[in-house]
Amino acid sequence: MKLSQMLAPTLREVPAEAEIISHQLLLRAGLIRRVTPGVYNFYPLMWRVTRKVEQIVREEMDRSGALELRMPILTPAELWEQSGRWQVYGKELMRLQNRHDRWELLGPTHEETVTAIARDEIRSYRQLPMNLYQIQVKFRDEIRPRFGLLRGREFIMKDSYSFHADTESLEETYAVMCRAYTRIFERCGLMTRMVESDVGAIGGSAAHEFMVVVETAGGENDLLFCDACDYAANVERAESSLDVAHLLAKLPPAEHLPLKKVSTPNVKTIAQLSDFLKVAPSQIVKTLVYRIEKLEEGSDASKASFVALLIRGDLELNEIKLANAVGGVLEMRMANETEIQELAGAPAGFVGPMGLKVERVLADESVRNLTNFVIGPNEADMHFIDANWNRDFTPEHWVNVRLAKAEERCARCQEGHLKAAKGIEVGNTFKLGTKYSSKMNATFMAADGNEMPFVMGCYGIGVTRTAQAAVESLHDENGIKWPVAIAPYHLLIVPVNIADAEVSRVANDLYQEALREGVEVALDDRDERAGVKFKDADLIGYPIRITVGKTIKDGLVEMKFRMEGHTEIVAIPEAIAKAQAYVKAAIDGRPVAVAR
Ligand code: ATP
Ligand code: MG
């Protein structure tokens, strides 16, 4: 490939539309261009990267025994009505009406379509397990498309779905998929960590995410890792131990003092209250009120209700855990001032569970061991002190919805402490169980002759997100450092001055030799200054650059290795063989031996 004929319009300026480094670099390197929010043109070099990621994913999926197929992007609404997701998926789903006024959708994921395939085609346990996958464009009308390919409205995903006769079989395939994912990302040159994750709207019993840990702003996910054991979780899901609760539980029960109502004029926040009453925030029970919308049983209409949550004053609520605890939530937000006044008869800041007009009061485990605590009385400018459970209020629904934080004790080993990190989710795995198969009547004949719903797993990889995540984690101030396995081309040959006939001839000879040897090579035959060519080479991030310049009179060229950032002078006849050896070692996953 000759750069004079390439479409890779590099930019010197940082484009204003890009907030994070990988997005800036993809634009500056002339690899992608935005067409409309969350939708991109992939220019030829980026398309090569994407196809390489796809190919690695395909090889490892095939190796794991999964079968590639293709399902349509255009999907009839009926399938999604059968699973119930037509009603609950919300605005992210791209819905459209065809010329016959029938509703259709552009697939954001394919549980429904694939479950219908199993329902129609798989009859017996003898055909199980089966793992079906595709690599395809997905559509999601993301509320905030951003960060380039990391959160697009149109993106490429590998999605696979496994079908099983029982949960043991699901566990086996799940483990195989987790190993395949680890290999896939390793082969792409990425370090990932597998973390426990929330099962979210997709449902199911357990889930994991594969995260590229980054220190840059592209890491949208907050992760917590234990510094002593191998516990790792998305903060949406993470649990920790409360040291204080731990200690309190060991103390003899405190004497219950009589309940008193005290005046706390204009004291609204936990911090103000703690100052005013001279009590620790951990002695205050905070009452949060949420407005929750759920789908009404057996109808398409949604119904709103209010739920209160009690949590210790020094702790924060994890809204995802709360939504899971409530179940079936379509939308959820904190109640506003007017609603609070209506429900409590008092303004926010003075709310408590006694007499609060909500559908349900949930109490977080963090308040279970409290005695003689402060709590709102539903009366302006007042608070209760020395309140106690059961005597003054009896929580009926205990939940665990506290947000885990860094430095808290690990709930798994009780030894280590949690450390925070940021990650880009490039893949995930779910144990779905029978959620879709039961809803959609997808059954098979079990060994005992009974019709049973399929036990399912599903596994996703964001192909285009992975390609950009590589840039977010591997770059320097000059540009991208593509891992060899997914680089658009492995080798770039740069004649410093094409007007010099000898330089041009040697560069061209090397180029021809590389082509003959099957090296993925590009030749910068543009009539540009050497400085411009070097800048572009670093920006685009070719793993190896051979510079053909004055030293050819001594039979030498310079080789520069982008990842390691060092250069070597080599004899012209050795250059291509050296490049080949470097590429092979990198792709085989062996440490790359280059002189320093
Ligand atoms: P996120 O929490 O980032 O929105 P998700 O849980 O919605 O992700 P899945 O539905 O499980 O993601 O999709 C599988 C994979 O597809 C994700 O792990 C991610 O790599 C990729 N992906 C999801 N949404 C997008 C998007 N808008 N743009 C690019 N890739 C995406
Ligand atoms: Mg999403």
Side-chain angles (χ1 to χ4, degrees):
M1 188 276 294
K2 294 186 174 174
L3 288 194
S4 57
Q5 309 306 120
M6 171 49 62
L7 176 68
T10 53
L11 309 170
R12 290 289 166 255
E13 299 296 314
V14 176
E17 69 179 89
E19 297 165 60
I20 59 165
I21 186 69
S22 56
H23 187 194
Q24 292 169 1
L25 288 172
L26 291 185
L27 289 168
R28 283 187 49 210
L31 301 181
I32 61 169
R33 288 290 184 263
R34 190 174 81 166
V35 178
T36 187
V39 178
Y40 289 83
N41 282 326
F42 287 61
Y43 284 175
L45 295 177
M46 193 61 191
W47 190 239
R48 286 178 70 92
V49 172
T50 308
R51 279 177 33 218
K52 288 184 177 188
V53 176
E54 271 184 26
Q55 190 51 28
I56 290 171
V57 171
R58 180 172 287 116
E59 285 170 18
E60 294 301 326
M61 289 303 295
D62 289 349
R63 186 209 293 263
S64 81
L67 305 168
E68 185 170 5
L69 51 42
R70 187 174 184 289
M71 295 178 271
I73 296 168
L74 196 61
T75 306
E78 289 87 68
L79 279 177
W80 282 58
E81 279 163 355
Q82 290 167 18
S83 72
R85 280 209 292 188
W86 180 253
Q87 290 83 356
V88 301
Y89 204 87
K91 292 195 171 161
E92 222 174 272
L93 191 61
M94 299 237 191
R95 302 164 204 248
L96 55 104
Q97 258 178 320
N98 66 18
R99 63 166 73 211
H100 306 294
D101 295 336
R102 290 248 166 77
W103 281 102
E104 296 176 326
L105 61 101
L106 300 179
T109 173
H110 279 70
E111 282 79 9
E112 283 77 1
T113 311
V114 80
T115 305
I117 293 177
R119 175 178 64 194
D120 297 343
E121 314 290 356
I122 306 178
R123 301 262 62 93
S124 152
Y125 72 95
R126 290 196 186 85
Q127 294 164 276
L128 300 174
M130 190 182 286
N131 192 1
L132 302 172
Y133 82 96
Q134 59 176 352
I135 301 175
Q136 177 192 64
V137 172
K138 295 282 186 274
F139 292 88
R140 292 185 187 181
D141 206 354
E142 296 276 355
I143 186 166
R144 242 191 113 195
R146 60 174 187 165
F147 296 170
L149 308 181
L150 291 190
R151 188 165 296 283
R153 294 192 305 137
E154 177 185 308
F155 58 96
I156 298 174
M157 196 206 285
K158 184 286 296 176
D159 46 330
S160 49
Y161 309 87
S162 64
F163 295 88
H164 308 271
D166 51 39
T167 49
E168 290 77 66
S169 166
L170 168 61
E171 295 292 339
E172 271 168 35
T173 298
Y174 195 84
V176 168
M177 290 310 293
C178 290
R179 281 199 295 278
Y181 273 32
T182 305
R183 273 188 66 92
I184 286 169
F185 297 120
E186 251 174 44
R187 282 188 59 190
C188 289
L190 289 170
M191 284 291 297
T192 51
R193 279 210 67 168
M194 179 172 153
V195 304
E196 288 184 11
S197 64
D198 179 57
V199 294
I202 205 160
S205 63
H208 291 88
E209 290 166 339
F210 287 75
M211 295 282 179
V212 176
V213 176
V214 291
E215 271 153 26
T216 48
E220 274 193 312
N221 292 271
D222 287 304
L223 315 176
L224 291 170
F225 300 105
C226 175
D227 60 8
C229 73
D230 62 3
Y231 180 69
N234 190 315
V235 73
E236 292 177 352
R237 152 94 183 185
E239 295 190 348
S240 62
S241 260
L242 275 183
D243 284 347
V244 183
H246 206 62
L247 293 177
L248 274 178
K250 289 186 185 155
L251 291 176
E255 185 196 340
H256 287 189
L257 301 173
L259 180 71
K260 283 197 289 290
K261 202 189 277 177
V262 298
S263 167
T264 54
N266 274 323
V267 170
K268 288 197 167 174
T269 64
I270 296 288
Q272 289 166 348
L273 191 59
S274 153
D275 269 358
F276 187 87
L277 295 174
K278 307 269 173 297
V279 296
S282 57
Q283 268 303 108
I284 301 174
V285 171
K286 188 159 61 167
T287 306
L288 304 170
V289 183
Y290 274 81
R291 181 183 183 277
I292 287 172
E293 249 179 72
K294 288 185 174 198
L295 209 58
E296 241 176 316
E297 276 300 314
S299 112
D300 276 6
S302 63
K303 184 175 156 248
S305 67
F306 291 90
V307 166
L309 175 85
L310 310 178
I311 189 167
R312 226 171 65 187
D314 59 326
L315 301 174
E316 273 174 57
L317 165 70
N318 178 333
E319 292 192 346
I320 290 171
K321 290 185 181 176
L322 178 63
N324 289 341
V326 172
V329 174
L330 285 180
E331 269 187 50
M332 189 175 93
R333 62 162 170 81
M334 287 195 91
N336 61 33
E337 274 290 343
T338 328
E339 289 160 346
I340 297 257
Q341 186 68 45
E342 177 89 353
L343 299 165
F350 305 97
V351 179
M354 296 88 134
L356 188 63
K357 288 187 271 173
V358 292
E359 193 174 86
R360 252 199 311 171
V361 177
L362 306 175
D364 182 67
E365 287 292 343
S366 59
V367 299
R368 201 193 267 274
N369 292 323
L370 294 185
T371 50
N372 301 325
F373 49 83
V374 175
I375 197 163
N378 296 328
E379 194 178 328
D381 295 335
M382 304 295 276
H383 273 91
F384 280 130
I385 60 169
D386 295 330
N388 283 285
W389 298 130
N390 304 326
R391 184 190 69 190
D392 305 318
F393 183 78
T394 308
E396 281 173 10
H397 308 281
W398 288 98
V399 291
N400 195 346
V401 296
R402 175 172 57 83
L403 187 72
K405 295 210 179 117
E407 301 315 322
E408 289 173 347
R409 192 179 290 279
C410 173
R412 174 79 50 83
C413 69
Q414 302 289 348
E415 293 281 323
H417 287 84
L418 300 178
K419 299 287 165 223
K422 297 227 173 250
I424 302 172
E425 177 198 323
V426 285
N428 57 22
T429 54
F430 295 92
K431 294 178 193 166
L432 287 175
T434 58
K435 182 180 153 114
Y436 291 89
S437 52
S438 326
K439 276 242 167 81
M440 296 183 66
N441 262 325
T443 61
F444 65 97
M445 197 183 69
D448 61 7
N450 286 324
E451 281 297 310
M452 298 290 288
F454 294 101
V455 175
M456 291 172 59
C458 77
Y459 320 89
I461 288 182
V463 169
T464 41
R465 186 185 280 185
T466 300
Q468 186 175 326
V471 179
E472 189 72 16
S473 73
L474 299 164
H475 64 265
D476 63 13
E477 63 285 2
N478 298 320
I480 302 170
K481 294 167 141 186
W482 288 114
V484 171
I486 61 172
Y489 286 89
H490 295 148
L491 169 64
L492 176 70
I493 297 173
V494 181
V496 291
N497 175 8
I498 57 160
D500 181 325
E502 194 53 15
V503 163
S504 236
R505 187 190 59 77
V506 172
N508 206 46
D509 285 353
L510 284 169
Y511 176 62
Q512 295 303 333
E513 182 189 345
L515 285 178
R516 273 197 311 278
E517 293 296 323
V519 177
E520 292 186 29
V521 62
L523 175 67
D524 196 346
D525 60 339
R526 296 174 302 165
D527 187 9
E528 290 282 1
R529 282 179 296 117
V532 170
K533 294 181 176 184
F534 294 157
K535 272 211 160 63
D536 282 354
D538 280 353
L539 182 57
I540 292 172
Y542 303 91
I544 312 165
R545 185 182 91 198
I546 295 180
T547 307
V548 183
K550 284 199 211 78
T551 52
I552 54 170
K553 66 178 184 321
D554 306 316
L556 301 171
V557 287
E558 183 198 83
M559 287 183 87
K560 184 172 177 201
F561 299 90
R562 184 77 180 91
M563 192 68 85
E564 293 76 10
H566 85 283
T567 52
E568 257 178 72
I569 305 296
V570 300
I572 294 169
E574 282 162 28
I576 299 301
K578 192 163 180 80
Q580 267 184 307
Y582 178 90
V583 167
K584 185 170 186 318
I587 288 183
D588 290 351
R590 279 190 278 112
V592 183
V594 280
R596 256 155 225 281

